[in-house]
Amino acid sequence: MKILLIFILYLISGTVDCSHVTGFSGGSIIMISDIQWDPSHTKYICKMGQSDCNDIIRFRSQSHHVQYKRFLLYRNTGGSFLVMIRKLKPQDAGMYRFGVEDQSNYTVNLKVRNDASCGVPKIMNANLGQNITVTCNYPGEYGKNNKYVITLDDETQIKPIIDTQTISEKSRFSISDDRSAKVLSVNISDVRETDGVFYLFGVWNKGASVGYYSYFTEIQLHVTGTYMTTSAAQREIPSGAEYSNSSAIISVCVCVALLLIGGLALMIYKLRCKRTHDSTNFSTFIQEET
Ligand SMILES: *[C@@H]1O[C@H](CO)[C@@H](O)[C@H](O)[C@H]1NC(C)=O
Ligand SMILES: *[C@@H]1O[C@H](CO)[C@@H](O)[C@H](O)[C@H]1NC(C)=O
Ligand SMILES: *[C@@H]1O[C@H](CO)[C@@H](O)[C@H](O)[C@H]1NC(C)=O
């Protein structure tokens, strides 16, 4: 009876006072709050010690994005305050508070688990134009969860790439989730130079007050070689004829750029739509406002 009471008290205090957030060693988390990113107030994240909360980031500027080491605070396109912690270490476990000074804040209890092994090398190589498959073994209990893949470039710009929930459209990326083997695979066809970024694989968790994505692992893709489309390869450009072909190459580049911009716009539009339909999560939209 006493135990039951303690358990109930624990449950109550757990949901009222703070959210539990579980990450994986070597992985990353993105916490999504409903706090509005207010440019005129100080924003911060601190880690709670014995008596005070020790600042990791505290800043006040017009910027939508601030990074210190593995910690990143940013504003998403919905104007919300997001926190990313990358490459988690066991010693990152503990209580954190983040938010906007004099407005609102959240306290979360971060746990860092050790048992997610993606079972793949952290770095993959690909040649331009190649089709590749990136696979990731994920923890058993996530068999039924939707999986999400994002990319991060050197400027830590976050881009949602693909997930198992959204019906995949014609795109260079496709995803499949073998739930019995617990293997997630992402195919990238016709690899481009811009694909040479970090790929993060994870699941969404809806917490009591803060929802979060937990990414098991990240894989860096190195893209090498010179680009040759199959048609260009068949044409076989004779040496010395580069100049006459340069205008054709430029127009191809412009077309590709336009297609990419169009595709990106469509993707952003789709994600916006998805977000407005997704009423159960206050905001699962992780794209940064630019
Ligand atoms: C955090 O928010 C609570 C109420 O939501 C407030 O009482 C408290 O003063 C805030 N703490 C800080 C450090 O801003
Ligand atoms: C990924 O590519 C492999 C090999 O080319 C293929 O067997 C598999 O069906 C593809 N998966 C998806 C989701 O497109
Ligand atoms: C790469 O994949 C695309 C579409 O998924 C396919 O049309 C193309 O033939 C593949 N190329 C190679 C070299 O396998």
Side-chain angles (χ1 to χ4, degrees):
M1 192 59 203
K2 218 184 223 172
I3 289 170
L4 189 68
L5 198 69
I6 290 168
F7 181 64
I8 288 167
L9 281 174
Y10 168 78
L11 276 185
I12 291 168
S13 64
T15 49
V16 170
D17 284 337
C18 80
S19 289
H20 290 271
V21 170
T22 304
F24 293 93
S25 189
S28 303
I29 51 162
I30 296 181
M31 296 183 274
I32 299 170
S33 77
D34 55 358
I35 298 173
Q36 281 299 298
W37 181 278
D38 183 341
S40 59
H41 282 81
T42 299
K43 289 158 286 285
Y44 66 93
I45 180 166
C46 58
K47 190 173 186 188
M48 288 178 167
Q50 298 285 32
S51 51
D52 8 68
C53 202
N54 305 304
D55 280 337
I56 297 164
I57 294 175
R58 178 171 291 270
F59 87 112
R60 185 177 182 168
S61 80
Q62 296 298 311
S63 174
H64 288 164
H65 174 123
V66 60
Q67 187 188 355
Y68 177 69
K69 293 183 176 169
R70 297 175 294 109
F71 291 80
L72 171 69
L73 305 182
Y74 71 98
R75 170 186 164 133
N76 74 358
T77 49
S80 296
F81 185 113
L82 275 68
V83 178
M84 180 176 206
I85 311 176
R86 271 184 91 186
K87 298 182 178 176
L88 288 166
K89 298 174 179 178
Q91 59 265 38
D92 291 333
M95 305 279 282
Y96 292 84
R97 186 189 291 141
F98 60 84
V100 179
E101 209 167 64
D102 305 323
Q103 306 260 305
S104 52
N105 64 77
Y106 281 117
T107 303
V108 296
N109 186 6
L110 174 66
K111 288 185 181 146
V112 180
R113 278 171 53 177
N114 231 342
D115 51 352
S117 147
C118 225
V120 288
K122 295 281 181 222
I123 297 175
M124 269 190 77
N125 292 301
N127 284 314
L128 286 170
Q130 204 185 342
N131 291 353
I132 59 159
T133 303
V134 184
T135 58
C136 170
N137 302 332
Y138 56 80
E141 77 257 34
Y142 292 128
K144 289 200 174 78
N145 296 59
N146 292 314
K147 311 297 183 308
Y148 299 84
V149 180
I150 60 165
T151 58
L152 269 177
D153 64 14
D154 291 335
E155 267 89 54
T156 58
Q157 288 288 332
I158 296 159
K159 262 193 214 146
I161 289 294
I162 196 165
D163 60 71
T164 55
Q165 186 182 23
T166 318
I167 298 140
S168 47
E169 304 287 322
K170 275 216 172 296
S171 135
R172 292 188 302 111
F173 296 86
S174 57
I175 192 165
S176 66
D177 183 4
D178 183 341
R179 292 182 169 190
S180 54
K182 319 279 187 234
V183 177
L184 189 66
S185 313
V186 173
N187 285 358
I188 310 175
S189 68
D190 187 17
V191 166
R192 313 270 163 86
E193 210 157 16
T194 49
D195 296 335
V197 289
F198 293 94
Y199 291 80
L200 279 63
F201 301 82
V203 288
W204 164 252
N205 296 275
K206 195 164 165 283
S209 51
V210 176
Y212 67 99
Y213 286 94
S214 187
Y215 298 97
F216 324 121
T217 198
E218 63 179 59
I219 292 165
Q220 188 179 11
L221 185 64
H222 276 307
V223 179
T224 51
T226 40
Y227 189 75
M228 265 198 157
T229 60
T230 40
S231 53
Q234 280 155 5
R235 238 189 287 126
E236 199 169 333
I237 302 157
S239 59
E242 281 96 318
Y243 285 109
S244 58
N245 278 315
S246 62
S247 65
I249 290 166
I250 287 166
S251 56
V252 167
C253 287
V254 168
C255 282
V256 168
L258 285 175
L259 277 174
L260 274 177
I261 290 165
L264 207 65
L266 193 69
M267 201 167 88
I268 289 167
Y269 173 74
K270 287 245 156 87
L271 283 161
R272 273 175 199 260
C273 287
K274 202 185 133 216
R275 182 173 166 261
T276 47
H277 289 312
D278 202 353
S279 54
T280 48
N281 304 326
F282 43 77
S283 171
T284 57
F285 195 40
I286 57 169
Q287 182 115 2
E288 184 178 333
E289 182 162 84
T290 48

